[in-house]
Amino acid sequence: MSSGQTQATQEAIQKPIQEPIHVIGGGLSGSEAAWQIALNGVPVVLHEMRPLRQTDAHRTDGLAELVCSNSLRSDDHGTNAIGLLHEEMRRLNSLVMRSADSNQVPAGGALAVDRDGFSAAITAAIAAHPLIEVVREEIAAPPTEWDSVIVATGPLTSPALAASIGAMTNESALAFFDAIAPIVHRDSIDMTVAWFQSRYDKAGPGGTGADYINCPMDRAQYEAFVAALIAGDKTEFHEWEKSTPYFDGCLPIEVMAERGVETLRHGPMKPVGLTNPHDPQTKAYAIVQLRQDNKLGTLFNIVGFQTKLKHGEQTRIFRTIPGLERAEFARLGGLHRNTFLNSPKLLDETLRLTAAPRLRFAGQITGCEGYVESAAVGLMAGRFAAAERRGEPLMLPPKTTAHGALLSYITGDHIGTIDAGPRSYQPMNVNFGLFPPLAQIPNKAPDGTRLRGPEKAAAKKRAMCARALADLDQWIGGSRIAAE
Ligand SMILES: Cc1cc2nc3c(=O)[nH]c(=O)nc-3n(C[C@H](O)[C@H](O)[C@H](O)COP(=O)(O)OP(=O)(O)OC[C@H]3O[C@@H](n4cnc5c(N)ncnc54)[C@H](O)[C@@H]3O)c2cc1C
């Protein structure tokens, strides 16, 4: 049996019984989804519009083209969440990981690839699989007779398909600038400086009156901060991004700063309705607020801090905020054109559109961020669709695994905001803040000495990775959680 020809594939070739599943988009996620469907013995048609129609970023007709960097980031599966996702995908027979491993180029601890070799390997494997048919065409709307479809058309989904998805989901827009505010790990915020309180202690629907973390600034700190924002190095928009509109109320923080030194103090940094319990007599001149971002309460986003500042500049400047001196960022801010669904509202736990369950979504269009994350969501969508077609129960990966943590963020664990303004669900890379906390955090080294600081943090990550891989192996072995 050749690689990619499982027992299920062999059976399906001898006795083809099923209608195909249709995958739209042959990028990172669609290619992986098609591969997983075929591995599970179900025929699949992969519809890719290139080269008949290009996107603004793709340059070739190859499947799984990497549009920018050639790095799949850290390959350390002992202490790094993206490295862990790599390893989990390898254990799940990922075509993307197999092709990355066989086209690796030297890049220290990162897994970087020869982009042409990587895409060629995936294109060849898909073309050679007897259960996969590739059709080069743009799909403007999934035909109603297709009873099982995976939409994996990515951040640059063609406008016609984006419009038809928009109509199906009743969303006003799908293509716009992501206004990404930075996200901070809760346990890296200094709560001897910051405090929990909602403005005017308002509980609002579903709140407690103490839902935000507040970081106070005096006048000198505020003015230095505004000056740093204006002086900081920014990234430029791509030519084709320039025509995409901003969401109302979504200006980059540095653009607000440029409008006048007082602008931020009357906008996202206004100090009203809040009292610092560490120093109740002193009125803060400005206050930075962070809002809970996931149900676990491990991640908080900095409210209104969408920005085009370069990543290094963000880390440097945001760590001047009192209470955030040692902040660890799960994600840094950004603004770029994207197409993605409000997935926690629109998708069920197996990535189906609740309004039209014959459609599943995969990849960046679900609101994950990154090549590997997109492929991993494609992997899960492919397995779910194949199991459904075969009449088997759908098994969710445990939330303690990188796959489960990512799926959980996309389909439900993100907390919607009670405030007016742009929707709060924003694209996310995999990171440890998405994982359920450990029952017990390791505090001793094997030799019995007490762990401190960075050693303790590394031990915690190691324990999370070990737990994830053990739970993944059990899931693969059949001890799984059935979707409701
Ligand atoms: C400019 C840019 C740079 C990026 N840089 C990076 C980076 O450096 N590192 C990183 O990790 N992530 C990066 N990303 C984010 C993201 O990881 C990638 O976009 C990733 O390729 C997403 O995978 P995907 O499968 O969801 O979409 P894609 O890989 O984009 O695949 C979607 C496929 O669908 C096809 N398609 C679109 N519409 C239709 C249609 N109607 N019918 C048929 N086919 C269609 C497209 O041609 C494409 O082949 C970048 C994104 C953009 C836009």
Side-chain angles (χ1 to χ4, degrees):
M1 214 178 287
S2 69
S3 69
Q5 298 232 350
T6 57
Q7 183 73 30
T9 314
Q10 286 291 314
E11 283 167 19
I13 295 165
Q14 284 153 16
K15 194 173 158 220
I17 44 164
Q18 296 123 343
E19 280 293 301
I21 292 168
H22 294 267
V23 177
I24 310 176
L28 275 298
S29 57
S31 301
E32 186 65 58
W35 183 251
Q36 294 288 333
I37 293 167
L39 282 188
N40 280 282
V42 176
V44 48
V45 183
L46 178 59
H47 307 263
E48 167 53 54
M49 68 177 183
R50 291 175 293 118
L52 306 176
R53 186 182 176 126
Q54 284 292 356
T55 74
D56 286 317
H58 291 82
R59 295 284 167 265
T60 74
D61 62 0
L63 300 179
E65 178 184 337
L66 302 177
V67 289
C68 187
S69 155
N70 67 332
S71 172
L72 306 193
R73 309 179 352 248
S74 170
D75 201 28
D76 167 10
H77 69 262
T79 59
N80 188 293
I82 188 71
L84 174 64
L85 190 59
H86 289 175
E87 178 58 21
E88 291 186 9
M89 291 175 74
R90 288 186 181 107
R91 295 185 188 194
L92 291 162
N93 298 320
S94 158
L95 175 62
V96 164
M97 288 313 300
R98 190 182 90 184
S99 309
D101 288 337
S102 57
N103 287 282
Q104 192 171 1
V105 296
L111 175 56
V113 300
D114 171 324
R115 68 178 72 238
D116 295 331
F118 169 75
S119 167
I122 290 176
T123 308
I126 296 262
H129 201 291
L131 288 178
I132 308 179
E133 181 189 355
V134 180
V135 181
R136 299 286 181 161
E137 61 180 349
E138 178 188 356
I139 304 296
T144 44
E145 59 272 23
W146 294 357
D147 69 341
S148 178
V149 181
I150 296 179
V151 181
T153 43
L156 305 172
T157 294
S158 73
L161 183 59
S164 82
I165 296 167
M168 277 185 268
T169 55
N170 268 339
E171 295 278 288
S172 55
L174 289 173
F176 42 73
F177 278 115
D178 292 350
I180 304 181
I183 293 186
V184 177
H185 287 277
R186 155 78 181 81
D187 59 7
S188 68
I189 301 173
D190 183 353
M191 296 306 290
T192 63
V193 175
W195 74 97
F196 272 103
Q197 186 184 9
S198 302
R199 209 178 289 286
Y200 300 112
D201 303 307
K202 270 192 194 154
T208 64
D211 299 321
Y212 289 78
I213 294 179
N214 301 283
C215 300
M217 279 187 182
D218 63 23
R219 184 172 187 156
Q221 287 166 330
Y222 172 76
E223 288 177 357
F225 182 72
V226 170
L229 290 176
I230 295 170
D233 250 6
K234 330 271 181 328
T235 50
E236 294 300 320
F237 283 122
H238 294 284
E239 197 50 45
W240 46 268
E241 286 179 318
K242 289 181 181 160
S243 59
T244 307
Y246 281 124
F247 255 139
D248 283 351
C250 242
L251 284 180
I253 183 172
E254 61 277 9
V255 173
M256 283 188 264
E258 278 164 5
R259 290 187 172 178
V261 72
E262 287 293 294
T263 307
L264 284 169
R265 230 169 66 78
H266 294 282
M269 294 175 71
K270 59 178 176 281
V272 299
L274 297 163
T275 306
N276 183 352
H278 307 299
D279 186 6
Q281 308 311 324
T282 309
K283 184 105 190 79
Y285 192 71
I287 290 178
V288 174
Q289 287 203 301
L290 295 96
R291 181 198 295 132
Q292 186 171 334
D293 199 83
N294 63 343
K295 276 188 189 150
L296 295 171
T298 49
L299 300 174
F300 277 71
N301 63 66
I302 315 186
V303 180
F305 270 37
Q306 56 275 359
T307 176
K308 291 278 295 174
L309 283 168
K310 288 190 169 159
H311 282 180
E313 291 287 78
Q314 291 185 42
T315 313
R316 179 179 68 78
I317 297 170
F318 297 154
R319 284 189 182 145
T320 65
I321 298 170
L324 300 189
E325 293 87 347
R326 292 174 197 278
E328 291 297 329
F329 293 91
R331 180 185 77 193
L332 286 159
L335 271 170
H336 63 87
R337 199 179 117 182
N338 201 351
T339 308
F340 67 100
L341 297 174
N342 194 0
S343 297
K345 184 177 139 204
L346 298 172
L347 302 186
D348 72 9
E349 57 184 346
T350 70
L351 300 163
R352 293 184 312 183
L353 191 65
T354 37
R358 74 189 176 98
L359 303 184
R360 270 198 168 75
F361 284 81
Q364 184 110 351
I365 200 168
T366 64
C368 65
E369 174 78 33
Y371 298 145
V372 185
E373 288 86 341
S374 295
V377 177
L379 183 153
M380 290 187 276
R383 290 170 82 99
F384 293 151
E388 193 175 71
R389 178 61 101 221
R390 291 170 65 89
E392 294 166 2
L394 271 60
M395 304 298 183
L396 300 180
K399 290 186 181 190
T400 48
T401 63
H403 280 83
L406 200 54
L407 183 66
S408 196
Y409 175 77
I410 293 167
T411 60
D413 274 3
H414 170 78
I415 298 225
T417 168
I418 55 171
D419 306 334
R423 71 189 188 196
S424 62
Y425 177 66
Q426 291 294 337
M428 180 71 98
N429 287 123
V430 70
N431 67 78
F432 285 120
L434 303 180
F435 291 63
L438 293 164
Q440 202 172 2
I441 298 173
N443 55 10
K444 288 208 174 120
D447 63 5
T449 51
R450 205 166 183 79
L451 294 170
R452 294 182 194 286
E455 281 177 353
K456 195 167 168 191
K460 184 173 153 192
K461 289 175 185 169
R462 267 196 298 278
M464 279 188 152
C465 289
R467 178 183 68 174
L469 291 176
D471 288 356
L472 184 91
D473 287 345
Q474 249 194 332
W475 180 62
I476 294 171
S479 168
R480 306 159 169 189
I481 311 152
E484 281 154 14

